[in-house]
Amino acid sequence: MQNFNYHQHTYRCGHADLNMTDEGYVQQYVKMGFKKIAFTDHCPEKNEIDKRQNMRMKYSERNEYLESIRKLRDKYSDKIKIESGYEVEYLPGEENNLKELKEKVDKIILGQHFIYDDDNNLKIIDFNGIIKLTDNDIIKYANYINKSMEIGIPNIIAHPDLFMLARDGFGEIEKKATNIICKSAEKYNIALEINLNNIFKIVYYENKKLNILPIEEQRKQLKKVIYPCREFWEIASNYNIKVLYGLDVHFDGQIELFKELFQFANEIIGSKTINKLNFIEKDI
Ligand SMILES: [Zn+2]
Ligand SMILES: [Zn+2]
């Protein structure tokens, strides 16, 4: 079973658990037997383009963030490997700022949450699925992800199927977007992440409280999960790409549930596809 996780947030982004410290997360990983993690909090923006509140650390906070990781890396070096990183979005025009962020950390994961519309305003994929993306938007979204890999930004593509939040079903356009993303991941040898945060939020963390329902009751909630998207991963399994799970931890309680979350993701995707996918055995 995967004993590493490269998708870990901190209180600095403003929408993760404000009571959890960086060290608190590290202690939970050690307790659960993890051997390597990367902190990949939502990146700060040098040019403030994403104007939403509580989405990311301030640019001025980045040194303190990296220093905190460095201290933990040294303190826990005999128990767990700790890397630094950011979760970033690609936007045309931001290439140099992204490269500047990349230079200072071990890992960059691309979690593409928006695109520019025709007037250069952000069109954001929201977690409630209220804003829908058009067919053209979806292809643009996939092309942004392709571009990020082409210019060498990410080590991992987080939730490559997130775009399903902004769509009503998996049809020809979704298939086309999936193929663009997978073809690019294969070409540039970039891993794709099966993201477990949507399962966590829907099955375990409604109303910001952990539920303790029996597993059969929890399983009934799985039909509400949008990503991982079964059809996306069926197509991905036909490519020669590396795959890994990402816990995308924002809350206390998420790390302890990793086995259950892996299991539920496998049930959504289906064993036939899971067995075909090329999971990373060790770290990357
Ligand atoms: Zn987040
Ligand atoms: Zn994330």
Side-chain angles (χ1 to χ4, degrees):
M1 194 169 288
Q2 186 180 309
N3 61 4
F4 53 88
N5 179 40
Y6 302 146
H7 200 156
Q8 173 64 50
H9 293 280
T10 80
Y11 65 87
R12 293 171 191 79
C13 70
H15 61 273
D17 213 318
L18 296 176
N19 297 317
M20 279 297 283
T21 61
D22 301 346
E23 186 162 16
Y25 288 122
V26 170
Q27 287 167 343
Q28 292 186 359
Y29 281 113
V30 170
K31 190 176 109 195
M32 299 311 289
F34 279 73
K35 295 293 174 222
K36 188 171 173 186
I37 61 160
F39 280 95
T40 45
D41 207 359
H42 297 283
C43 70
E45 291 180 327
K46 198 171 190 178
N47 300 326
E48 278 185 34
I49 296 171
D50 180 6
K51 308 261 190 240
R52 290 173 295 172
Q53 294 288 307
N54 297 329
M55 280 317 295
R56 54 191 71 247
M57 70 181 84
K58 293 187 195 70
Y59 198 67
S60 59
E61 285 179 289
R62 69 195 191 291
N63 291 331
E64 180 278 326
Y65 165 69
L66 296 176
E67 189 49 35
S68 168
I69 298 168
R70 256 194 300 275
K71 279 190 194 142
L72 291 169
R73 184 192 64 194
D74 293 346
K75 183 170 175 186
Y76 287 87
S77 61
D78 58 336
K79 297 191 176 70
I80 188 167
K81 272 191 200 154
I82 299 174
E83 290 188 336
S84 60
Y86 290 116
E87 176 171 4
V88 308
E89 290 90 353
Y90 168 77
L91 282 176
E94 290 305 302
E95 293 83 355
N96 288 338
N97 289 335
L98 292 171
K99 284 178 183 165
E100 211 173 281
L101 287 174
K102 185 180 170 81
E103 277 170 21
K104 298 266 191 288
V105 296
D106 301 306
K107 277 197 173 53
I108 293 285
I109 64 174
L110 183 93
Q112 193 67 32
H113 298 102
F114 41 64
I115 52 170
Y116 278 137
D117 68 11
D118 293 339
D119 302 316
N120 267 12
N121 295 312
L122 285 188
K123 203 162 184 183
I124 294 165
I125 297 178
D126 72 294
F127 283 90
N128 301 317
I130 293 164
I131 297 166
K132 295 295 173 194
L133 294 191
T134 66
D135 290 358
N136 283 342
D137 290 340
I138 288 292
I139 299 306
K140 192 193 243 185
Y141 180 86
N143 285 333
Y144 274 29
I145 294 179
N146 170 51
K147 189 73 189 172
S148 77
M149 290 189 258
E150 190 186 300
I151 63 170
I153 298 294
N155 305 96
I156 294 165
I157 306 298
H159 44 60
D161 42 359
L162 179 92
F163 65 82
M164 290 304 293
L165 281 170
R167 302 291 283 184
D168 291 323
F170 199 95
E172 283 308 308
I173 293 295
E174 291 73 17
K175 201 168 154 184
K176 200 171 161 190
T178 300
N179 279 304
I180 292 170
I181 295 168
C182 292
K183 203 183 249 180
S184 182
E186 183 178 75
K187 181 174 176 190
Y188 298 107
N189 194 26
I190 302 296
L192 298 187
E193 176 208 67
I194 296 175
N195 187 281
L196 303 169
N197 197 28
N198 197 228
I199 300 177
F200 177 75
K201 279 191 184 156
I202 286 173
V203 177
Y204 292 104
Y205 211 61
E206 243 175 347
N207 306 318
K208 303 232 160 192
K209 262 173 70 183
L210 266 185
N211 84 50
I212 43 161
L213 296 171
I215 191 151
E216 283 316 315
E217 287 302 310
Q218 290 170 341
R219 186 170 275 122
K220 285 183 194 157
Q221 305 297 314
L222 289 182
K223 57 181 181 298
K224 294 188 209 156
V225 171
I226 305 290
Y227 62 94
C229 166
R230 187 182 182 98
E231 293 91 340
F232 178 97
W233 292 101
E234 274 168 11
I235 294 172
S237 73
N238 296 321
Y239 287 84
N240 183 21
I241 43 185
K242 299 180 289 190
V243 175
L244 76 171
Y245 297 101
L247 285 168
D248 197 357
V249 174
H250 288 75
F251 304 104
D252 188 11
Q254 222 164 342
I255 298 163
E256 280 96 337
L257 283 165
F258 82 99
K259 283 183 190 153
E260 289 85 346
L261 292 166
F262 287 7
Q263 174 60 28
F264 278 150
N266 292 354
E267 287 179 24
I268 289 169
I269 294 169
S271 58
K272 199 171 150 225
T273 299
I274 287 289
N275 291 334
K276 261 175 84 184
L277 289 170
N278 185 15
F279 281 91
I280 294 164
E281 297 290 332
K282 286 218 164 66
D283 55 5
I284 51 169

